[in-house]
């Protein structure tokens, strides 16, 4: 019975690795979006939604893994030698999951920096456009008020 649980734990970790690989792929796609000359925010939002689904899947897999592990933890501790090969496989998969998690965190940090830079540039452009528009409006107002002014003093000598 414990062997079946260990197989389920292994399958859970493999599914988690697959979901993490998909998240890494979406992170790379998001990076490409912000490296392109024309940023497609709709595509970015689409990728964010897909990643959210994958994150929910990972959370579900984590909960399932933890509850299943709780059922067999005591048995594994008592009969470590009997399930040694499967335990080593699980340990290797957990190491891979951890490494994938670190990779995803690094990708997310890079993407966050790129996104912040993009929005900073956009804010600066908007600020510059506002200043330019304000200057043009002020100039227009000043020029429309300054109609031809007749001379105030006239020289009567000729």
């Amino acid at each position: 019975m414990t062997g079946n649980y260990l197989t389920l734990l292994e399958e859970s970790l493999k599914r988690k690795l697959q979901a993490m690989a998909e998240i890494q792929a979406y992170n790379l796609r998001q990076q490409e979006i912000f490296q392109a000359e024309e940023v497609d925010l709709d595509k970015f939002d689409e990728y964010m939604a897909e990643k959210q689904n994958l994150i929910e899947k990972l959370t579900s897999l984590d909960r399932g893994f933890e509850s299943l592990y709780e059922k067999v933890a005591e048995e594994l501790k008592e009969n470590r030698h009997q399930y040694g090969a499967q335990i080593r496989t699980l340990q290797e998969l957990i190491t891979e999951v951890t490494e994938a998690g670190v990779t995803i965190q690094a990708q997310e940090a890079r993407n966050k920096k790129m996104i912040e830079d993009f929005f900073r540039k956009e804010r600066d452009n908007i600020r510059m456009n506002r200043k330019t528009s304000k200057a043009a409006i002020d100039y227009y107002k000043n020029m429309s008020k300054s109609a031809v002014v007749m001379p105030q003093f006239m020289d009567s000598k000729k």
Side-chain angles (χ1 to χ4, degrees), residues 91-150:
Q91 288 173 334
E92 290 170 6
L93 287 171
I94 290 171
T95 301
E96 288 180 39
V97 166
T98 304
E99 290 171 357
V102 170
T103 302
I104 289 172
Q105 286 178 339
Q107 286 178 323
E108 291 288 343
R110 280 191 302 271
N111 285 353
K112 179 182 179 192
K113 173 97 173 79
M114 290 173 64
I115 292 166
E116 288 172 348
D117 290 346
F118 169 76
F119 284 115
R120 187 176 309 109
K121 287 177 189 175
E122 289 298 309
R123 275 194 307 273
D124 290 346
N125 286 341
I126 291 170
R127 192 174 300 124
M128 182 59 81
N129 288 340
R130 284 183 183 161
K131 285 181 182 180
T132 304
S133 296
K134 184 176 179 344
I137 290 170
D138 289 346
Y139 176 78
Y140 175 74
K141 285 180 183 177
N142 285 335
M143 293 312 286
S144 65
K145 288 179 186 176
S146 65
V148 177
V149 178
M150 297 305 284

Side-chain angles (χ1 to χ4, degrees), residues 49-119:
E50 291 295 327
K51 277 178 41 177
Q52 182 61 36
N53 292 338
L54 289 169
I55 290 169
E56 289 169 5
K57 181 179 176 180
L58 282 176
T59 304
S60 172
L61 287 169
D62 275 344
R63 275 190 246 123
F65 182 88
E66 288 172 12
S67 66
L68 195 56
Y69 181 76
E70 287 174 9
K71 291 179 182 180
V72 296
E74 195 63 38
E75 173 75 22
L76 290 177
K77 288 177 186 174
E78 292 173 4
N79 299 316
R80 202 168 182 79
H81 61 281
Q82 182 180 354
Y83 302 108
Q86 288 178 307
I87 291 173
R88 277 189 292 284
T89 302
L90 289 175
Q91 288 173 334
E92 290 170 6
L93 287 171
I94 290 171
T95 301
E96 288 180 39
V97 166
T98 304
E99 290 171 357
V102 170
T103 302
I104 289 172
Q105 286 178 339
Q107 286 178 323
E108 291 288 343
R110 280 191 302 271
N111 285 353
K112 179 182 179 192
K113 173 97 173 79
M114 290 173 64
I115 292 166
E116 288 172 348
D117 290 346
F118 169 76
F119 284 115

